[in-house]
């Protein structure tokens, strides 16, 4: 009898500890991420790894929903006072993690900081922090240095997140140990190179997450991230490979969510260098490349081919008619017209990590029209250095339009003034395009802006500046018990909406 | 003893300065702009200029090198270009992981290899001897990153026995330490075998046997004790290498050690981190070598310095070939 | 003098002959030699043996498992893996050989000079090499490749330079052990200059440890090259290199592990053969170490 009782106790204990474990599991969300942040300060870096984490801890005046529409966040509404002034009405019930009340003062302070940060000059450089005025605690006029059509979009970017003066000053050099925002999560510990532990904030004004602890584990290998989801080591894995996305899709215990992001890849040239300064050569190459086949191969059929120089969810996007789609015969005759009937030798610079396979397929396709391509697969550092300084013949590049607006996509990449260092790595120069882009940047009527960008995209397609490849894609994998997971085109995940079932 | 140690440490200083000079020079003149790499593809010229100014990258070569050395003398290894974290704090945070991985791998390799080496020495030319030799050679022939991937697929994915990544406890340690350890096994095994063979034929072993001592006692107490010095030397050398060499294993298993940190920094051209890390590893390498030399005396105070030098030379040569 | 010279070379000859005899007796070494020979032949005659060119793509036949047409299957762009392994052997062996030649030439001369002249020269050279030795070889190689940019020759150079110190040490030690012997003294008395003494008298006498080291270093160099390729710092595509094939295939390892399996086995077989051979050579050339 005694023995039986003992056994019962053991069984009870085991059951109990299991259920405790199960409960504990419910309280923690573990996410495998592919990139580490460089900073816990939203203005301390502009990379995607940082944005992913600061998005969980901080908020901006406005933000984007998962369809890239601007929605209120810390501001309840806003109005355009004149061409260079936007008035924001702020929430009055928001507190920072350190207990400080959020007011217009924090907004002004934030933009004073961003005006000095090298990481925000291109996104927030148009804000005149000095002239920005606090009307009252919950009203602020943000003043721009010049009229700028997509200004509000730029305020939705993660680098425009609002910080607290007291926390910044107290933190000083060690701010990253104790970052303070208004968002749903508070940093508990950053185990550099390994993981980041966050807890839910007691001060969060919105609906609190359904769990207490969030752990972001940094796992560099895509295959390993997928395996961790499959074996239950993590709840969610970010950025698994297309191949794993397909195969995990067959697994009944795993959900895979694939979504397009604000990035496109493309093949382009140094357009200031012969023979690529000849539009016929570019048109011939465009015609010789079966871009659909390239995209199908590298994305395992999951990806979509881009039909503009920017991604579809960006304001101003218009799909082009593809005047120089795949047609080898036309490619040959165009090349002959350009005076290269026998083809030529050239090089193709790619970032080895993400474009080697595309390059190899393209190399084969161009061989068919007599263009002999030598691939130079560089590490990121060398690749960037090469294309920034115009040492490439051809290159494969990518562009992420973080603001979701055509100005950031097109003016940086195609305006003559931005050649090389500014973002125009194709060294493309066309006065017509320059004029259209300048006009669109200062235009306040969004309808007219859209028209102007349409024209720009048509010219670029006719001039065959890019051979558009795939629209960027991110595949998330999550255990079946994970609900409420929404992928975002800006590559962040609003993890506070996640719950378990 | 104290004088010997301090002299050896002082002798390390020029080597370390040389390391700083070599690494800094290669990195400084290698292509790419750290500021631009950090800011990424979409950065504008203005942003790059601002960040370069902030990081002091616009200064000429000599100024930057001198500034680094000056800070170093004050014990300041600077801050990472990329995440602005203190390099020394970061190294100290990551070092225990690297140390643990290296220690576990070497221990794993040494225990198996020494036992196997002794047995194959006793049973020279036996089937066991051949199998062990073949197996250990196979061990150093496997690219360890490949072995790691294969083990993850097999053990973690298909058999669901052990976690695929991380380094949070014994369960997590097993795959990385096997992956890392097999490469070291062959060398230790080979040297155990050959130095045991050498010792077993000595007169005093015959004497011990003649006195009727049990074979196991003869082997462990008399033979192994006299054969241990080259084994210790090799293990020491391998340990020094293991501290800096688990780069790919750390990547495959997502282990937050020093190696992965450094490789990431090289591709980002994060000069302070690379400098600090390589300097630290070079220092460790020196310290480990020093410890090995001290251990000689500890294990066998009788060896004369003459013998030691000869032995050391032969063993180091052997070790290098084994590595 | 003359006769002594001939006498010595005859002695040398018989030394090599007896070493070969000993080598032949070691089954392990002969197995290594045979395996290595097969790999070399495969690489040399890749043009003849390989059923497809190494860069022939077929986008309709991607990820095929091993079958009659493609013995080792196909990769992500439908290239025949068997053919790529054969051609890849060329690349890997070339890298192994050239990078070792670089370290032998550089390290060997530095070591010989240091050992022969001794004193300050020795000190200067060896202390400088201590600096390189203190930097973990893989990190040094990565740093050099990053600085030079990727490409086959740069890769060879990086790997070669990072093992210069170990060669220098071995050559120096060997030179030290023979330079006091009488035939060197005799040559010096007969008025031979230093270069002549080093190359005609010292070098032949220290060939044994160098040959062993070359064999083993080649294995190491091939391994290093594949490690560098694995982190994306190696050979330019579409040239097949085993490490680069591993690296490119690792994204598909979950379902198509043959893409990663065969290059891995190729690396393993090559390194194993070189290690077996090197081991055998060490025993054969240095009877003292033979047990």
């Amino acid at each position: 009898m005694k023995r039986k009782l003992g056994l019962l106790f053991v069984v009870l204990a085991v059951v109990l500890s299991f259920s405790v474990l199960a409960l504990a599991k419910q309280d923690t969300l573990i996410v495998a991420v592919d990139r580490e942040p460089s900073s816990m300060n939203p203005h301390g870096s502009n990379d995607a790894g940082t944005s992913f984490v600061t998005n969980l801890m901080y908020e901006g005046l406005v933000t984007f929903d998962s369809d890239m529409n601007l929605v209120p966040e810390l501001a309840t509404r806003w109005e355009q006072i004149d061409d260079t002034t936007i008035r924001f009405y702020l929430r009055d019930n928001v507190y920072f993690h350190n207990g400080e009340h959020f007011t217009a003062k924090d907004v002004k302070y934030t933009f004073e900081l961003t005006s000095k940060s090298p990481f925000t000059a291109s996104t927030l450089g148009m804000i005149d922090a000095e002239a920005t005025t606090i009307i009252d605690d919950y009203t602020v006029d943000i003043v721009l240095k010049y009229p700028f059509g997509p200004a509000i979009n730029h305020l939705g970017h993660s680098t425009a997140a609002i910080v607290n003066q007291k926390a910044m000053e107290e933190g000083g050099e060690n701010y990253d140990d104790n970052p303070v925002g208004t968002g749903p999560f508070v940093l508990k510990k950053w185990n550099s190179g390994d993981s980041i532990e966050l807890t839910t904030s007691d001060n969060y004004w919105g609906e609190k997450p359904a769990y207490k602890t969030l752990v972001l584990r940094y796992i560099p290998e895509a295959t390993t991230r997928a395996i961790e989801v499959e074996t239950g080591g993590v709840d969610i894995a970010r950025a698994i490979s297309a191949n794993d996305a397909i195969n995990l899709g067959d697994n009944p215990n795993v959900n895979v969510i694939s979504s397009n992001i604000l990035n496109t890849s493309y093949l382009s040239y140094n357009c200031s260098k012969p023979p690529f300064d000849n539009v016929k050569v570019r048109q011939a190459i465009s015609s010789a490349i079966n871009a659909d086949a390239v995209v199908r191969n590298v994305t395992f059929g999951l990806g979509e081919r881009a039909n503009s120089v920017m991604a579809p969810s960006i304001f101003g996007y218009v799909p082009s008619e593809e005047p120089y789609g795949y047609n080898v015969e036309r490619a040959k005759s165009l090349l002959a017209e350009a005076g290269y009937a026998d083809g030529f030798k050239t090089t193709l610079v790619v970032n080895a990590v993400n474009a080697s396979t595309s390059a190899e397929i393209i190399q084969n396709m161009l061989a068919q029209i007599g263009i002999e391509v030598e691939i130079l697969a560089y590490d990121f550092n060398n690749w960037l250095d090469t294309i920034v300084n115009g040492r490439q013949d051809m290159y494969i590049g990518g562009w992420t339009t973080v603001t979701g607006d055509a100005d950031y996509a097109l003016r940086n990449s195609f305006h003559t003034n931005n050649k090389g260092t500014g973002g125009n790595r194709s060294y493309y120069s066309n006065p017509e395009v320059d004029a259209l882009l300048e006009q669109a940047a200062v235009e306040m009527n969004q309808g007219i802006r859209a028209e102007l960008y349409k024209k720009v995209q048509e010219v670029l397609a006719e001039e065959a500046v890019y051979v558009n490849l795939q629209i960027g894609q991110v595949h998330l994998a999550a255990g079946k018990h994970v609900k409420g997971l929404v992928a975002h085109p800006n590559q962040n995940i609003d993890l506070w909406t996640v719950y378990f079932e | 003893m104290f004088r010997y140690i301090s002299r050896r440490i002082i002798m390390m200083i020029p080597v370390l300065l040389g390391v700083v000079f070599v690494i800094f020079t290669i990195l400084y003149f290698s292509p790419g702009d750290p500021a631009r790499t950090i800011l990424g593809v979409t950065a504008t010229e203005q942003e790059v200029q601002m960040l370069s100014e902030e990081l002091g990258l616009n200064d000429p070569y000599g100024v930057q090198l001198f500034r680094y050395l000056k800070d170093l003398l004050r014990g300041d290894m600077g801050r990472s270009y990329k995440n602005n974290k203190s390099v020394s704090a970061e190294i100290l945070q990551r070092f225990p992981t690297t140390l643990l991985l290296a220690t576990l791998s070497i221990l794993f390799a040494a225990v198996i290899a020494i036992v196997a080496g002794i047995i194959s020495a006793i049973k020279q030319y036996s089937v066991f001897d051949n199998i062990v030799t073949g197996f250990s050679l196979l061990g150093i022939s496997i690219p360890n990153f490949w072995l790691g991937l294969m083990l993850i697929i097999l053990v973690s994915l298909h058999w669901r026995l052990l976690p695929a990544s991380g380094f949070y406890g014994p369960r997590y340690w097993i795959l990385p330490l096997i992956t890392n350890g097999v490469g070291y096994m062959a060398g230790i095994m080979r040297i155990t075998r050959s130095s045991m063979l050498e010792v077993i034929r000595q007169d005093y072993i015959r004497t011990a046997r003649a006195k009727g001592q049990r074979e196991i006692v003869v082997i462990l107490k008399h033979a192994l004790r006299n054969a241990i010095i080259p084994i210790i030397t090799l293990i020491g050398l391998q340990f020094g290498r293991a501290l800096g060499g688990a780069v790919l294993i750390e990547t495959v298993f997502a282990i937050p050690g020093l190696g992965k940190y450094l490789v990431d920094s090289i591709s980002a051209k994060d000069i302070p981190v690379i400098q600090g890390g390589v300097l630290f590893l070079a220092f460790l390498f020196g310290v480990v070598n020093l410890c090995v030399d001290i251990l000689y005396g500890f294990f066998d105070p009788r060896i004369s310095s003459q013998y030691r030098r000869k032995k050391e030379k032969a063993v180091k040569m052997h070790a290098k070939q084994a590595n | 003098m003359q006769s002594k010279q001939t006498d010595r070379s005859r002695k040398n000859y018989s030394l090599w002959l007896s070493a070969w005899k000993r080598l032949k007796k070691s089954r392990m070494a002969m197995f290594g030699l045979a395996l290595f020979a097969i790999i070399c032949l495969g690489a040399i005659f890749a043009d003849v043996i390989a059923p497809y060119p190494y860069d022939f793509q077929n986008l309709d036949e991607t990820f095929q498992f091993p079958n009659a047409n493609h013995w080792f299957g196909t990769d992500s762009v439908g290239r025949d893996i068997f053919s790529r392994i054969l051609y890849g052997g060329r690349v890997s062996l070339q890298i192994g050989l050239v990078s070792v030649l670089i370290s032998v030439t550089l390290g060997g001369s530095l070591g010989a000079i240091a050992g022969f002249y001794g004193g300050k020269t020795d000190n200067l050279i060896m202390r400088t090499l201590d600096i390189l030795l203190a930097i973990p070889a893989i990190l040094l190689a990565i740093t050099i490749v990053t600085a030079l940019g990727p490409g086959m020759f740069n890769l060879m150079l990086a790997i070669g330079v990072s093992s210069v110190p170990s060669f220098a040490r071995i050559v120096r030690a060997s030179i030290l052990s023979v330079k006091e012997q009488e035939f060197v003294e005799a040559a010096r008395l007969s008025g031979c200059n230093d270069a002549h003494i080093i190359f005609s008298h010292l070098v032949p006498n220290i060939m044994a440890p160098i040959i062993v080291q070359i064999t083993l270093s080649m294995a190491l160099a091939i391994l290093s090259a594949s490690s560098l390729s694995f982190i994306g710092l190696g050979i330019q595509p579409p040239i097949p290199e085993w490490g680069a094939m591993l690296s490119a295939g690792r994204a598909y390892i979950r379902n198509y592990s043959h893409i990663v399996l065969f290059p891995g086995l190729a690396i393993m077989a090559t390194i194993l053969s070189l290690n077996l051979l090197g081991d055998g050579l060490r025993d054969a050339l240095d009877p003292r170490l033979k047990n």
Side-chain angles (χ1 to χ4, degrees):
Chain A
M1 191 60 208
K2 243 182 187 173
R3 194 182 283 168
K4 268 192 182 164
L5 211 66
L7 198 70
L8 191 70
F9 266 116
V10 171
V11 169
L12 256 177
V14 168
V15 169
L16 218 74
S17 59
F18 263 108
S19 50
V20 166
L21 272 178
L23 277 178
K25 177 79 182 157
Q26 294 282 345
D27 246 8
T28 305
L29 177 69
I30 305 178
V31 182
V33 295
D34 53 325
R35 293 181 274 218
E36 255 209 307
S38 313
S39 176
M40 290 292 161
N41 172 359
H43 322 137
S45 172
N46 63 351
D47 59 39
T50 303
S51 166
F52 187 88
V53 175
T54 56
N55 175 53
L56 302 169
M57 299 190 289
Y58 297 89
E59 292 167 299
L61 294 174
V62 296
T63 191
F64 294 101
D65 67 12
S66 55
D67 296 320
M68 286 310 282
N69 299 313
L70 272 171
V71 290
E73 195 161 37
L74 288 176
T76 50
R77 62 196 173 88
W78 57 91
E79 59 197 29
Q80 191 90 34
I81 304 281
D82 57 47
D83 272 5
T84 53
T85 313
I86 313 168
R87 177 164 296 171
F88 284 90
Y89 298 93
L90 310 177
R91 282 182 202 282
D92 58 5
N93 59 341
V94 177
Y95 291 85
F96 283 96
H97 299 156
N98 62 354
E100 292 279 296
H101 194 168
F102 161 72
T103 64
K105 230 175 64 210
D106 298 302
V107 176
K108 185 169 164 70
Y109 174 72
T110 295
F111 293 118
E112 280 167 6
L113 284 190
T114 58
S115 68
K116 283 173 253 158
S117 163
F119 296 98
T120 54
S122 69
T123 42
L124 302 173
M126 75 289 177
I127 294 174
D128 187 343
E130 293 301 308
T132 292
T133 15
I134 300 168
I135 307 294
D136 62 43
D137 268 4
Y138 306 112
T139 316
V140 61
D141 279 355
I142 289 186
V143 179
L144 309 181
K145 292 175 185 155
Y146 43 83
F148 189 54
I152 301 253
N153 275 61
H154 284 234
L155 291 172
H157 185 242
S158 63
T159 52
I162 305 298
V163 296
N164 177 252
Q165 180 162 13
K166 187 164 164 246
M168 289 300 274
E169 280 164 5
E170 278 175 5
E173 246 185 0
N174 299 318
Y175 178 78
D176 279 1
D177 296 336
N178 196 12
V180 171
T182 59
F185 293 99
V186 188
L187 179 74
K188 200 163 140 205
K189 192 153 186 277
W190 178 3
N191 307 306
S192 174
D194 180 60
S195 61
I196 295 169
E197 293 167 50
L198 303 128
T199 51
T200 48
S201 162
D202 295 331
N203 293 340
Y204 182 49
W205 58 274
E207 199 182 324
K208 292 197 175 65
Y211 52 92
K212 275 269 166 292
T213 308
L214 169 63
V215 179
L216 307 177
R217 275 188 60 198
Y218 168 54
I219 303 178
E221 287 281 313
T223 315
T224 314
R225 288 195 295 277
I227 291 173
E228 285 286 8
V229 169
E230 204 173 358
T231 57
V234 304
D235 299 300
I236 301 171
R238 210 198 89 85
I240 62 168
S241 70
N243 164 50
D244 286 339
I246 289 178
N247 294 307
L248 282 182
D250 300 337
N251 184 328
N253 299 318
V254 178
N255 280 329
V256 175
I257 302 173
S258 302
S259 64
N260 287 344
I261 58 172
L262 300 169
N263 166 289
T264 59
S265 307
Y266 55 84
L267 170 94
S268 188
Y269 323 89
N270 181 341
C271 296
S272 67
K273 220 184 206 178
F276 305 107
D277 54 346
N278 185 337
V279 64
K280 288 222 160 70
V281 170
R282 300 199 299 258
Q283 289 167 343
I285 291 175
S286 276
S287 308
I289 294 173
N290 182 352
D292 288 310
V294 177
V295 173
R296 205 178 318 122
N297 182 277
V298 298
T299 68
F300 286 77
L302 290 180
E304 276 173 63
R305 198 195 146 193
N307 43 18
S308 165
V309 294
M310 58 188 186
S313 41
I314 295 164
F315 173 81
Y317 161 85
V318 178
S320 87
E321 294 301 317
E322 235 193 329
Y324 295 97
Y326 182 49
N327 182 339
V328 178
E329 285 318 305
R330 185 179 57 217
K332 281 178 182 158
S333 63
L334 279 166
L335 206 56
E337 281 173 45
Y340 294 98
D342 299 329
F344 53 86
K345 274 190 182 183
T346 188
T347 61
L348 170 58
V349 178
V350 299
N351 178 359
V353 178
N354 58 26
S356 284
T357 311
S358 308
E360 286 173 279
I361 301 174
I362 287 169
Q363 180 187 43
N364 255 27
M365 289 171 171
L366 291 182
Q368 290 172 2
I369 59 166
I371 299 178
E372 197 182 311
V373 178
E374 183 193 347
I375 298 172
L376 304 171
Y378 289 171
D379 63 324
F380 175 75
N381 196 28
N382 268 338
W383 166 80
L384 189 58
D385 194 55
T386 306
I387 63 171
V388 162
N389 294 304
R391 290 195 304 268
Q392 79 277 27
D393 294 320
M394 295 201 281
Y395 73 103
I396 291 181
W399 188 272
T400 306
T401 307
V402 286
T403 62
D405 185 273
D407 178 72
Y408 191 87
L410 301 178
R411 197 153 54 92
N412 287 322
S413 304
F414 300 102
H415 194 286
T416 306
N417 292 347
N418 290 331
K419 267 190 192 175
T421 54
N424 179 355
R425 276 72 200 240
S426 300
Y427 282 73
Y428 179 72
S429 178
N430 181 343
E432 186 195 352
V433 168
D434 291 351
L436 287 168
L437 289 171
E438 282 160 27
Q439 198 190 335
V442 298
E443 177 58 56
M444 286 298 153
N445 182 321
Q446 302 296 340
I448 299 176
R449 289 186 69 223
E451 263 318 296
L452 295 168
Y453 288 130
K454 180 170 182 251
K455 232 176 258 169
V456 173
Q457 287 166 80
E458 280 165 6
V459 175
L460 294 174
E462 180 59 34
E463 293 255 285
V465 185
Y466 281 6
V467 178
N468 297 310
L469 301 174
Q470 71 269 31
I471 299 169
Q473 229 179 6
V474 168
H475 309 285
L476 304 178
K480 264 273 149 52
H481 60 288
V482 176
K483 303 285 171 192
L485 178 63
V486 181
H488 208 287
N490 66 11
Q491 304 188 47
N492 294 335
I493 310 177
D494 296 343
L495 288 169
W496 54 89
T497 64
V498 168
Y499 58 97
F500 304 109
E501 214 174 80
Chain B
M1 192 65 172
F2 178 75
R3 262 189 63 198
Y4 172 71
I5 294 176
S6 43
R7 199 173 60 89
R8 285 280 300 261
I9 288 180
I10 288 169
M11 268 168 62
M12 272 159 65
I13 293 174
V15 172
L16 294 179
L17 285 177
V19 168
V20 170
F21 174 76
V22 168
I23 292 290
F24 186 83
T25 307
I26 299 178
L27 291 171
Y28 182 87
F29 291 104
S30 67
D33 175 355
R36 188 170 284 285
T37 305
I38 290 165
L39 285 160
V41 176
T42 55
T44 60
E45 178 63 17
Q46 183 200 5
E47 290 176 320
V48 174
Q49 274 313 318
M50 281 168 84
L51 187 62
S52 299
E53 197 55 49
E54 217 177 279
L55 299 175
L57 296 171
N58 293 337
D59 298 330
Y61 168 77
V63 175
Q64 288 192 43
L65 179 59
F66 183 71
R67 189 171 53 214
Y68 184 83
L69 287 172
K70 209 176 70 188
D71 288 347
L72 191 65
L73 285 179
R74 291 182 319 188
D76 178 7
M77 285 180 146
R79 282 175 173 271
S80 155
Y81 287 163
K82 187 162 191 300
N83 62 20
N84 199 36
K85 287 187 176 218
S86 151
V87 172
S88 45
E90 189 76 13
I91 289 174
L92 289 180
Q93 195 205 319
R94 294 193 186 228
F95 178 58
T97 306
T98 297
L99 185 67
L100 183 64
L101 177 60
T103 314
L104 288 172
S105 318
I106 296 283
L107 261 181
F108 165 75
V111 168
I112 294 184
I114 291 177
V115 172
I118 292 172
I119 300 178
S120 58
I122 302 170
K123 314 243 181 226
Q124 201 186 356
Y125 301 129
S126 68
V127 178
F128 181 86
D129 184 17
N130 282 332
I131 290 177
V132 164
T133 312
F135 184 79
S136 72
L137 277 173
L138 208 62
I140 40 171
S141 306
I142 297 180
N144 55 18
F145 51 92
W146 181 74
L147 179 64
L149 288 173
M150 290 298 176
L151 284 177
I152 289 177
I153 292 292
L154 206 64
V155 181
S156 304
L157 181 66
H158 290 307
W159 296 343
R160 305 280 165 106
L161 286 179
L162 295 166
S165 67
F167 210 61
Y168 308 120
R171 265 165 53 75
Y172 292 85
W173 297 342
I174 298 174
L175 290 186
L177 80 87
I178 291 177
T179 310
N180 203 16
V182 290
Y184 298 110
M185 235 184 261
I188 303 176
M189 213 228 62
R190 185 152 54 192
I191 209 155
T192 308
R193 180 176 177 272
S194 67
S195 77
M196 279 298 282
L197 281 173
E198 202 174 304
V199 170
I200 280 174
R201 292 176 192 159
Q202 304 291 325
D203 289 342
Y204 55 84
I205 297 294
R206 250 174 253 149
T207 317
R209 279 208 183 106
K211 279 200 291 188
Q213 286 186 326
R214 282 170 53 207
E215 184 65 16
I216 182 105
V217 176
V218 174
I219 295 298
L220 290 183
K221 198 173 156 202
H222 297 279
L224 184 60
R225 223 181 121 195
N226 286 290
I228 201 83
I229 292 162
I231 303 176
I232 295 282
T233 311
L234 178 69
I235 292 177
L237 279 170
Q238 289 192 332
F239 185 66
R241 283 281 165 246
L243 287 173
V247 175
L248 296 176
I249 290 174
E250 290 179 0
T251 307
V252 169
F253 290 103
I255 298 171
L258 268 183
K260 168 100 184 67
Y261 181 49
L262 288 183
V263 172
D264 289 350
S265 308
I266 293 174
S267 53
K269 227 186 157 188
D270 195 342
I271 297 178
V273 173
I274 309 164
Q275 286 277 39
V278 172
L279 196 61
F280 180 73
L281 288 175
F283 174 73
L284 276 184
F285 186 67
V287 170
V288 169
N289 274 351
L290 177 59
C291 290
V292 169
D293 290 351
I294 294 170
L295 272 180
Y296 280 145
F298 176 76
F299 271 94
D300 197 347
R302 287 163 305 173
I303 23 177
S304 72
S305 66
Q306 173 62 35
Y307 174 73
R308 185 191 304 177
R309 221 173 294 134
K310 210 175 94 199
K311 194 85 195 169
E312 188 181 343
K313 205 172 69 191
V315 165
K316 276 194 173 154
M317 220 166 104
H318 206 96
K320 224 152 267 133
Q321 288 161 1
N323 259 340
Chain C
M1 200 73 226
Q2 193 61 42
S3 70
K4 198 170 183 180
Q5 190 86 50
T6 346
D7 191 39
R8 254 185 19 78
S9 58
R10 191 173 300 139
K11 205 178 96 199
N12 251 340
Y13 175 74
S14 67
L15 194 79
W16 290 109
L17 197 70
S18 67
W20 169 241
K21 275 186 186 150
R22 276 197 297 273
L23 188 69
K24 266 206 300 199
K25 262 194 260 167
S26 158
R27 259 181 299 166
M28 288 254 194
M30 290 322 281
F31 174 71
L33 187 64
L35 190 58
F36 188 64
I38 292 172
I39 293 165
C40 286
L41 289 176
I44 294 166
F45 296 107
D47 290 325
V48 188
I49 307 169
Y52 299 88
Y54 66 81
D55 57 352
F56 176 78
Q57 301 174 358
N58 184 345
L59 295 185
D60 298 324
E61 287 191 0
T62 57
F63 296 112
Q64 294 210 347
F65 286 99
N67 58 46
N69 284 334
H70 302 284
W71 292 354
F72 291 176
T74 61
D75 68 3
S76 67
V77 290
R79 289 178 298 213
D80 181 54
I81 294 178
F82 177 65
S83 307
R84 283 178 69 74
I85 297 256
L86 289 175
Y87 281 100
R90 264 187 201 184
V91 179
S92 289
L93 291 174
Q94 230 173 317
I95 292 173
L97 198 65
V98 176
S99 51
V100 169
L101 282 181
I102 291 172
S103 30
V104 161
T105 324
L106 278 176
S109 354
L110 287 173
I113 294 169
F116 186 73
Y117 292 102
K120 273 188 189 152
T121 320
D122 182 18
N123 236 324
L124 183 72
I125 292 176
M126 294 321 284
R127 293 297 82 76
T128 312
L129 290 177
D130 276 350
I131 294 171
L132 291 186
L133 198 65
I135 305 172
I138 179 96
L139 289 177
L140 184 61
I142 292 173
T143 312
I144 297 175
V145 173
T146 315
L148 297 175
M152 188 137 149
F153 183 72
N154 292 345
L155 190 67
M156 294 168 179
L157 200 64
I159 296 168
V161 168
S162 58
S163 54
V164 159
S166 43
F167 267 104
R169 287 192 150 205
I170 285 166
V171 171
R172 174 177 171 274
S174 316
I175 291 264
L176 282 178
S177 69
V178 291
K179 90 167 175 186
E180 303 303 335
Q181 287 177 18
E182 44 184 271
F183 64 86
V184 177
E185 203 53 34
R188 188 172 286 151
L189 285 176
S190 67
C192 297
N193 65 26
D194 290 352
H196 182 83
I197 294 176
I198 292 181
F199 286 106
S200 311
H201 298 280
L202 293 182
V203 170
N205 276 286
I206 58 166
M207 276 319 277
I210 293 179
I211 287 177
V212 172
Q213 180 70 7
I214 284 177
T215 322
L216 297 171
S217 289
M218 236 181 107
L220 209 63
I222 292 172
L223 204 58
S224 303
S226 66
S227 303
L228 290 177
S229 292
F230 186 74
I231 44 179
L233 290 170
I235 298 296
Q236 295 304 299
I239 296 170
E241 194 269 340
W242 294 332
M245 290 169 73
L246 270 181
S247 178
R250 75 187 200 268
Y252 319 116
I253 188 171
R254 268 180 88 257
N255 301 82
Y256 310 107
S257 39
H258 66 277
I259 296 183
V260 173
L261 183 72
F262 291 111
L265 289 177
I267 297 176
M268 208 166 90
T270 311
I271 295 173
L272 181 66
S273 71
L274 284 166
N275 278 325
L276 286 170
L277 188 61
D279 247 25
L281 279 171
R282 173 166 44 215
D283 293 346
L285 289 170
D286 193 347
R288 279 173 303 132
L289 281 170
K290 168 94 177 152
N291 292 295

